[in-house]
Structures are given as C-alpha cells and as structure tokens.
Amino acid sequence: MAHSETLTGLAALEARLRQDLELLELPAKSWVPPRTYQDQAVKDVVVIGAGMCGLAATAKLMLSGIDNVLALDAAPAGREGPWVTFARMETLRSPKTLQGPALGLPQLTFRAWFTAQHGSEAWQALDKIPKDQWMAYLVWYRHVLNLPVHNGVRLTGIAQAEGLIELQVEGFTTSKIYARRLVLATGRSGLGGFAVPAFLQGIDRAYWAHSADDIDFNALKHKRVAVIGAGASSMDNAATALEAGAGAVDLLIRRKEMPRINKMTGIGSQGVVHGMHQLPDAWKWKFVDYTAAAQTPPPRSSTLRVSRHANARFFLDCAIEAVKQEANGLLIETTQGAMRYDFLIAATGFANTFNGRPEFAAIAPHIRSWADGRYQPEMGAPRSGMTDAPDLGPAFEFRERVAGSCPMLRHIHCFNDAAMLTHGKVSGDIPAVSAGADRLARGIAASLFAEDVDSHFASLVAYDKPELEGDEWTDSTPLLKQENAL
Ligand SMILES: Cc1cc2nc3c(=O)[nH]c(=O)nc-3n(C[C@H](O)[C@H](O)[C@H](O)COP(=O)(O)OP(=O)(O)OC[C@H]3O[C@@H](n4cnc5c(N)ncnc54)[C@H](O)[C@@H]3O)c2cc1C
C-alpha cells in the first residue's frame, strides 16, 4: 500500500481513514456464530434501505464485528433516498459542518471528503452542501467502507420462520433470505407512504401529484399551479415549477402565519440526542407535540427562491375545503374563496400508519403503537402521527400489540423517521444519525450475544490456548513442608 504522504486528494484521505481504522482496531473481529436454515446460510442482520440511515447502520454493525450483514435497496446504486430523486431544493438545510453518518471517524466526514478534493479554501467558501454533492458523498462512504449493499433488490414480504425472519425479495439471487435481525431503514415514509388529504381522494392523478412523486415540471409550463403546505417541500416544488416556466404558482397555506422558528434544531445538543429517549413518556410527548404544533419553517433560501418570482403568491389562512375535478382542471374551494388551477402539488408529507406498504402487511396488525397504552390522555390531545407512532424498545425494536402474536417483531428494528417519538431524532435527520446507528448496533450486539449465550459459554469452556506454558515458576510448597517438618 502506498504511504499516505505520497498520495493526494481522495486517495490520501482513504489511506488516512484506513490508518485510523487500524489504530482503533476496526472493524472489530467477527464474533457471531454462523447459522444455517434449510441449507441456506442465515444472515445475522439484513438492513432494508441503503439511504443515509441504512448505510450508517450497516457501517456501525460491520465495525462492531457483526459482519454477516446485507443491506438491500430497491433503488439503483447512487439513487437511494431523496437527494437526486424527489428532493427539489438546491442545497441541504443542515449546516455543512455536521458529523452526519461519520460514526466518530473524522476522515469519514463530509468535510474531509470535500476538502480532500477541493481544498480548504473551497471549504471556507462553501455555504450549504449542494444536494447532489451530498449524494456523491454517500456513494463514496459506501465504497470506502466496502459496505455489502445490493441495489435493485426490493423487500416484498416478511414471515416468521421458526426463530428467524424470512424475507421475501425481488431482484436478488434467491427469492428468500433468512435473517436473525431485520433493520427497517426505509426512510421518511418509514412504514407508511404519502400522507394524502381526504379532499384529494378520487381526483384524477392527471391533475395532482404528491411532492415526492416524479413530477414532469416541463408539462407545467404556462399552467396555473397550486401547492399545498408551507414546509420545505412546498417551497422546493413551487420554486421548481416556477423555474420550469409555470404561469402562476399559488401556495395555499392553512396557517394564519408562516412558521418562522426552527424549534428543535434551535435546542439541539448532545443532551437532546442522548437524553430524549430516556425521558418519561409524558416528556417525550410534550417535546414532539410542541414541535409539531409550532411546525418547522421552510429554509429562508428556499422561500426566497419562490418569492423572487412575480407570479408566485402566498395565501395564508387558506384552508382547503373541497377539491372538484372539472373538464380542464381543478376547482379548489378554500376558506378564502374558490380558485381554479390546472395542477396541484400536495406537499403534505408522509404517514407512518404501517398500512400503506404491502411488504409490511404481515407485521402491521401486530405492531404496538403509542395508542396501545403508552399514550395517556393527560399528556395532551391525541395527535395523529403521534398516537400511531410505534412503541419501540431501547434498540428501536418493535413490540407486539398482543403478547405472543408475532414474536419476530422484537427482532425487527424500526430505524427510520417513525422512531422519533420513542427515540428522539436519531434515525432520520443528518445531525444525530451516528448516535442512532450506535444505539442500534449496541442493542443488536447485546441481543445476538444473549441469544447465543450457550455457544459463547461453550467457547469459553473449550478455549484452551495457554498463556502460561507451566515453566515460568516452580512450586515451593514442598520446601515449606520440609521447613515445617524441622
Ligand atoms: C426532500 C428532503 C430533504 C431533506 N433535507 C434534509 C436536510 O437538509 N438535513 C437533514 O438533516 N435532513 C434532511 N432530510 C431528512 C433526512 O435526512 C432524509 O430523509 C434522509 O434521506 C433520511 O435517510 P434514510 O436513510 O432514513 O431514508 P432514505 O434516504 O429515504 O432511504 C430509504 C431507502 O429505503 C429504500 N427502501 C424503502 N423500502 C424498500 C423496500 N421495500 N425494499 C428495498 N428498499 C427499500 C428506498 O429505496 C430508499 O433508498 C430531508 C428529507 C427530504 C425528504
């Protein structure tokens, strides 16, 4: 291997990373006993989703010596997650300096990756991270750690197979994979899908799209477009429509005022990261409920990207009462009156109701949610998205609604946005994903170790490599006996 001092750019960074890993004795030695089931090798962990959370989780498991792992993603390589698909912002909202998925390794940070290629001056000059660059960084992260990711592989179903989990998959060498633990790093929509308001039910999809759909913005040229919502995605979609030549774009915003303060980001700290999941439930509820009520504002730059167009309008206090499909468009009845549009974009976010995805149909009815006892009326008014949040264990594992009804749930870990009420924001956003991956990997390591305790104890008993050869000392007891006899 070339010495790191003779290398430059990314090659030098990669050499430094290898050296750091060596200094830290990482990856740790492999320690989980292998298993087979029906003549097939069993995976210790399968991670579904190789977006940022799936990559961080896979990396942390591998570094912890749990290396019989597979990460599967339905998307083609380099197109996982939102960044180069439906994310329509120019840059990330997050500050460029965040550790992100680097797992405490300085050479694995975005900053190290960027600086290695473009230098320190370019780093100083960089404002926010362009989204395509963030995707390129994640691609590098996966390659430099040699993570076992398979793309074009979709999980289509889950079943119990004795003590294991049977994964039904499409696009892989086998149609079934057996795993001891399953991590669902399936992203924002987590276990559900798009949140679609009731007034859009039955409206022809030719007239509306969800903000995370693949939208043909060129088709919106000269058209009247309505965008519902006041979050980051509404701004990004409105701006993209305006830049594509839309005739007019109206933001229909139910709230009387734009949310302007990013509350949870404002109080971000290691206390929040490590303390939130240990708080009593009433406190967890209070934090998440308050944040949901306050709402997260869209970034200033995204809002300006819309408002700089003369044909963009912001309608506040403009709740939608009904949407009617007409011969050539939509009639939208709002609290501010009726308006006609050619197309509507619903930036209405995602739902985690477990029922939106066929691949989770077998487990969905058994998953215990906060509504199943963890939520108490004295915490405050019930809020959808919170009462239906899964009630998770300390390593993000699901719990059964009825004991014994679906035992594999305790081996299925919900490492996505749906975990927020139980665990805080450690399995979705960039700032604390390393802490989340650490919590997950420790929990999985402990539970695999406990499950294999017989085998580990047998290894203890069988271990017979001497440290002492027996020639390092002489036994003086006979001398003592002689002395006592005198
Ligand atoms: C538009 C947008 C902008 C964001 N900007 C920021 C930001 O600036 N800062 C910040 O901190 N956070 C941001 N976030 C939030 C968060 O960082 C992202 O959502 C991030 O992508 C989360 O990573 P993830 O791995 O959880 O999910 P994703 O990146 O969405 O990855 C999930 C993966 O799971 C795969 N998958 C799902 N189901 C299956 C299946 N059945 N079989 C196989 N594969 C499957 C998908 O193909 C996908 O690649 C943003 C989110 C969005 C949507």
Side-chain angles (χ1 to χ4, degrees):
M1 181 177 63
H3 195 271
S4 59
E5 280 152 31
T6 63
L7 297 171
T8 54
L10 268 190
L13 175 67
E14 290 169 9
R16 285 198 300 275
L17 176 63
R18 277 193 295 273
Q19 192 183 40
D20 284 356
L21 290 172
E22 202 179 309
L23 289 170
L24 293 165
E25 278 198 288
L26 293 173
K29 74 169 186 192
S30 183
W31 58 270
V32 186
R35 290 201 186 188
T36 54
Y37 180 72
Q38 298 191 336
D39 297 328
Q40 199 175 314
V42 172
K43 288 288 157 195
D44 292 329
V45 187
V46 173
V47 178
I48 301 298
M52 179 183 66
C53 288
L55 293 180
T58 306
K60 191 67 198 177
L61 289 164
M62 303 284 292
L63 294 176
S64 309
I66 303 170
D67 52 9
N68 178 21
V69 174
L70 265 186
L72 307 176
D73 202 300
R79 295 187 65 76
E80 302 88 353
W83 314 111
V84 295
T85 52
F86 66 87
R88 302 192 167 106
M89 69 282 191
E90 292 168 329
T91 67
L92 301 195
R93 174 202 285 265
S94 303
K96 63 182 178 180
T97 45
L98 291 177
Q99 173 187 169
L103 304 172
L105 296 162
Q107 316 297 351
L108 202 53
T109 55
F110 177 85
R111 181 176 181 167
W113 174 82
F114 180 94
T115 311
Q117 298 171 91
H118 308 293
S120 302
E121 264 179 47
W123 171 255
Q124 295 306 333
L126 180 71
D127 176 25
K128 293 276 175 70
I129 301 173
K131 67 187 182 76
D132 292 12
Q133 216 160 30
W134 182 252
M135 183 77 245
Y137 160 70
L138 291 177
V139 168
W140 172 77
Y141 178 102
R142 160 192 177 166
H143 287 297
V144 77
L145 292 176
N146 199 19
L147 299 180
V149 179
H150 293 256
N151 287 92
V153 184
R154 180 176 291 282
L155 173 77
T156 55
I158 303 174
Q160 181 94 46
E162 298 179 40
L164 302 171
I165 304 162
E166 177 189 291
L167 307 179
Q168 291 129 24
V169 291
E170 280 172 11
F172 196 59
T173 45
T174 54
S175 60
K176 287 178 183 169
I177 300 171
Y178 296 99
R180 297 182 64 187
R181 302 290 182 270
L182 174 63
V183 174
L184 299 179
T186 42
R188 269 265 140 136
S189 53
L191 311 167
F194 298 165
V196 177
F199 53 71
L200 283 173
Q201 304 295 341
I203 304 290
D204 190 333
R205 283 299 234 129
Y207 296 109
W208 74 275
H210 186 274
S211 56
D213 274 325
D214 185 7
I215 301 173
D216 179 5
F217 282 91
N218 289 327
L220 300 183
K221 216 174 191 137
H222 309 307
K223 296 277 165 70
R224 296 163 301 171
V225 180
V227 179
I228 313 175
S233 289
S234 28
M235 294 306 148
D236 299 337
N237 279 272
T240 309
L242 288 159
E243 288 161 10
V249 175
D250 289 349
L251 286 129
L252 309 184
I253 301 164
R254 186 173 40 192
R255 298 174 72 90
K256 290 191 170 60
E257 288 178 14
M258 289 283 280
R260 289 172 56 185
I261 302 169
N262 196 340
K263 293 275 186 176
M264 274 311 278
T265 299
I267 64 150
S269 73
Q270 289 301 294
V272 173
V273 170
H274 299 297
M276 192 64 82
H277 76 121
Q278 308 233 14
L279 286 177
D281 287 347
W283 270 114
K284 290 184 185 185
W285 183 275
K286 206 167 168 168
F287 273 103
V288 176
D289 185 49
Y290 181 87
T291 314
Q295 289 196 328
T296 306
R300 179 175 158 78
S301 57
S302 312
T303 312
L304 290 171
R305 190 178 156 210
V306 176
S307 61
R308 69 174 175 239
H309 294 269
N311 52 343
R313 297 187 298 181
F314 292 66
F315 290 103
L316 288 145
D317 195 12
C318 185
I320 294 174
E321 292 177 328
V323 176
K324 292 182 180 147
Q325 194 176 316
E326 297 188 322
N328 282 319
L330 300 173
L331 176 72
I332 303 187
E333 290 170 4
T334 76
T335 47
Q336 303 290 347
M339 299 185 254
R340 287 202 156 74
Y341 294 98
D342 301 307
F343 198 75
L344 178 150
I345 300 174
T348 41
F350 301 96
N352 274 315
T353 48
F354 314 135
N355 301 316
R357 306 261 202 117
E359 64 265 46
F360 304 130
I363 57 171
H366 304 291
I367 296 175
R368 195 177 161 83
S369 71
W370 272 61
D372 297 317
R374 208 157 168 174
Y375 163 73
Q376 300 296 327
E378 54 272 24
M379 291 176 181
R383 183 187 280 279
S384 85
M386 290 179 66
T387 41
D388 47 20
D391 167 1
L392 301 173
F396 302 89
E397 68 276 26
F398 289 113
R399 290 173 161 153
E400 294 166 296
R401 181 167 276 157
V402 177
S405 62
C406 188
M408 68 175 158
L409 280 180
R410 68 173 185 278
H411 293 156
I412 304 181
H413 301 258
C414 178
F415 195 56
N416 56 55
D417 221 51
M420 185 174 69
L421 183 55
T422 313
H423 275 272
K425 269 182 178 252
V426 296
S427 54
D429 293 352
I430 297 168
V433 63
S434 286
D438 186 60
R439 193 178 301 165
L440 174 78
R442 282 172 194 248
I444 291 179
S447 89
L448 286 173
F449 183 77
E451 198 170 87
D452 291 330
V453 69
D454 286 344
S455 159
H456 292 299
F457 188 75
S459 300
L460 175 72
V461 173
Y463 186 73
D464 60 358
K465 186 170 171 236
E467 265 188 55
L468 290 178
E469 301 289 342
D471 58 0
E472 296 87 353
W473 78 97
T474 42
D475 184 357
S476 306
T477 323
L479 279 177
L480 190 64
K481 279 189 183 152
Q482 275 175 24
E483 281 169 19
N484 285 341
L486 290 177

